[in-house]
Amino acid sequence: AAVAGTPALTLYGATDTALIGTYGKHQQHLVSDFNCAPCYKRKCPLPASRNGEPVCMTEMTPEMVWHGLQPLLAAQ
């Protein structure tokens, strides 16, 4: 999306925008502020995790994503 100039909102939990972030025009990041993020792990070791799914992503609500998309939609 970044290379094509397509507006995108990328969600980050266990990963770091400085390492694998999207950059370019109309690129937005929603970054987890969970206390262990970014941990860089492929499977979440926390007890609250189900089947290794990252707990840090559960704090990102649909409302947060929608709020992050608003500037991108306006740019269209």
Side-chain angles (χ1 to χ4, degrees), residues 16-75:
D16 185 355
T17 60
L19 296 177
I20 55 172
T22 56
Y23 292 97
K25 190 174 182 181
H26 304 301
Q27 301 302 301
Q28 295 289 328
H29 301 154
L30 182 57
V31 181
S32 173
D33 61 356
F34 206 72
N35 60 355
C36 59
C39 68
Y40 309 106
K41 296 185 179 178
R42 292 188 182 269
K43 288 192 172 193
C44 182
L46 297 177
S49 174
R50 293 184 185 165
N51 299 320
E53 294 297 319
V55 176
C56 55
M57 298 297 280
T58 62
E59 71 167 7
M60 294 184 197
T61 65
E63 292 80 15
M64 293 169 72
V65 174
W66 181 247
H67 180 73
L69 285 171
Q70 291 302 307
L72 298 174
L73 296 173

